[in-house]
Amino acid sequence: MAGTGRIVVGVDGSEPSVTALRWAVRQAGLSGEPLEAVISWEYPAAGWAAMVPSLPTDFDPEEMAGKILGDTLEQTLGAEAAASVTRKVLIGNPAQALMDRAQGASLVVVGDRGYSGFKAALLGSVGLHLSQHAPCPVVIVRGETAL
């Protein structure tokens, strides 16, 4: 029986996000719900940006995020399966972007950590925030999962 919402999965190209993507694909296949892959990006904080040489004039973080999302979907799922996934490239904090997309979703899926954060932590900040505040059930995928 098909669900009434959609499954939202956070993808940033990291191994944990690829594992979450694989899990979300399997769940979407079982539930019949559409899959939406989300990536977000932010401009560097002003203090941090001051320490970095100026960015190239053709630097487009939204385009780069879209490429990361597209490449991750195609490398993980193959071109045909990746084409059936709705893609959202959003500006802003990853936790807030996923919270916003979780409105009306039946499920949000994330890896246990992304590229940022401390390697020794058991749970990344995005997963922690979603587990406490999301408007729908949250699955935080840990460890290796085969497709």
Side-chain angles (χ1 to χ4, degrees):
M1 181 168 125
T4 58
R6 69 194 184 292
I7 296 174
V8 175
V9 60
V11 178
D12 66 4
S14 66
E15 269 310 306
S17 79
V18 168
T19 302
L21 173 61
R22 289 179 176 137
W23 192 95
V25 165
R26 283 194 316 276
Q27 183 61 33
L30 292 171
S31 69
E33 294 172 310
L35 186 62
E36 178 179 295
V38 176
I39 191 169
S40 71
W41 60 275
E42 294 181 286
Y43 283 107
W48 180 84
M51 298 184 308
V52 176
S54 64
L55 295 171
T57 56
D58 63 343
F59 177 69
D60 184 347
E62 184 171 8
E63 181 182 329
M64 185 174 70
K67 181 167 177 26
I68 290 168
L69 181 59
D71 289 352
T72 302
L73 289 171
E74 289 189 18
Q75 290 169 7
T76 304
L77 308 176
E80 185 176 331
S84 69
V85 177
T86 301
R87 302 168 193 208
K88 297 288 182 186
V89 179
L90 306 171
I91 185 171
N93 175 278
Q96 188 59 54
L98 286 165
M99 287 284 294
D100 293 345
R101 296 308 306 160
Q103 296 295 328
S106 59
L107 187 66
V108 160
V109 182
V110 293
D112 58 349
R113 73 186 69 262
Y115 275 124
S116 61
F118 300 101
K119 296 272 186 211
L122 294 176
L123 180 62
S125 61
V126 172
L128 180 61
H129 184 83
L130 287 169
S131 69
Q132 296 173 341
H133 303 288
C136 65
V138 176
V139 172
I140 299 169
V141 181
R142 293 184 47 90
E144 296 296 318
T145 303
L147 181 61

